Amino acid sequence: DELWVTSKVKVYVVSTSQDVVRQVDKSLKELSLDYLDLMLLHGGDGWGIGPERDVALWMGLIEAKKAGKVQNIGVSNHNRQEIERLEKETGELPAVNQLEFHPWVPAETFELVRWCQSRGIVVTAYGSLGGAKNSARGEVVAQIAARRGVTTAQVLLRWALDQGVAVIPGATSAQHIREDLDLESLRLSPEDIRLL
């Protein structure tokens, strides 16, 4: 109860709902757990799996949830149309949509985040520090960090949290982990947010 465990089913290694259940079982065995707190379906139509297969794989996660193998099920890198289709075909919305989220994502990502939140779907951000380009090293972020006496990573993580988005930053040291967790007292001003 003190640790939340999330895993993913990679869509390119499964074809059927039963494959998904087997992947859940494999994760449970590898982690020596009785259940997972959250299992994500990692990838949608954009990953070349097609709508029918996406629904079939989602049904596998629903089956694993009904069997008590996972407490919550979600998706990663799914858009609104894909999520609406999953709900229409199965009657079940994902609890979570994990996607890349930082101040420089396209406008449609901001729209997707707002839509998910309006539907009660928790958005979890990967790439919070600017994605592959790591925009955390940008001049504006560095200026805000210097004014606040914090790291650029802390600025961007606080920004995402202020958007109502959960974050899962990677860290390369114990010091980075401590910094990433030390966000409670950090507050960004409206000007900071505008600049980002």
Side-chain angles (χ1 to χ4, degrees), residues 11-83:
V11 296
Y12 53 84
V13 299
V14 292
S15 298
T16 67
S17 62
Q18 288 308 305
D19 289 343
V20 170
V21 173
R22 282 190 285 277
Q23 285 295 308
V24 170
D25 290 339
K26 180 180 177 191
S27 290
L28 290 171
K29 183 178 179 183
E30 288 174 351
L31 296 168
S32 299
L33 294 172
D34 296 325
Y35 69 90
L36 293 164
D37 295 291
L38 173 63
M39 187 63 133
L40 301 173
L41 189 59
H42 188 198
D45 294 357
W47 294 61
I49 66 167
E52 297 80 20
R53 187 162 150 211
D54 196 29
V55 170
L57 301 180
W58 182 243
M59 291 175 76
L61 282 185
I62 293 170
E63 184 179 328
K65 181 180 174 188
K66 286 180 181 174
K69 297 175 182 191
V70 296
Q71 300 294 308
N72 300 281
I73 57 176
V75 294
S76 180
N77 299 309
H78 275 63
N79 63 36
R80 178 178 176 167
Q81 179 183 9
E82 292 165 329
I83 293 170

Side-chain angles (χ1 to χ4, degrees), residues 38-139:
L38 173 63
M39 187 63 133
L40 301 173
L41 189 59
H42 188 198
D45 294 357
W47 294 61
I49 66 167
E52 297 80 20
R53 187 162 150 211
D54 196 29
V55 170
L57 301 180
W58 182 243
M59 291 175 76
L61 282 185
I62 293 170
E63 184 179 328
K65 181 180 174 188
K66 286 180 181 174
K69 297 175 182 191
V70 296
Q71 300 294 308
N72 300 281
I73 57 176
V75 294
S76 180
N77 299 309
H78 275 63
N79 63 36
R80 178 178 176 167
Q81 179 183 9
E82 292 165 329
I83 293 170
E84 287 177 333
R85 182 177 53 245
L86 294 177
E87 181 186 28
K88 179 181 178 209
E89 296 295 325
T90 68
E92 182 141 5
L93 270 175
V96 172
N97 188 11
Q98 186 182 97
L99 45 85
E100 184 173 335
F101 187 69
H102 48 74
W104 305 280
V105 295
E108 57 265 17
T109 303
F110 284 97
E111 292 167 16
L112 176 60
V113 167
R114 285 191 295 275
W115 178 82
C116 285
Q117 291 170 332
S118 77
R119 298 297 314 272
I121 300 168
V122 174
V123 176
T124 301
Y126 67 81
S128 308
L129 304 185
K133 296 178 184 174
N134 195 350
S135 301
R137 293 186 175 87
E139 186 178 323

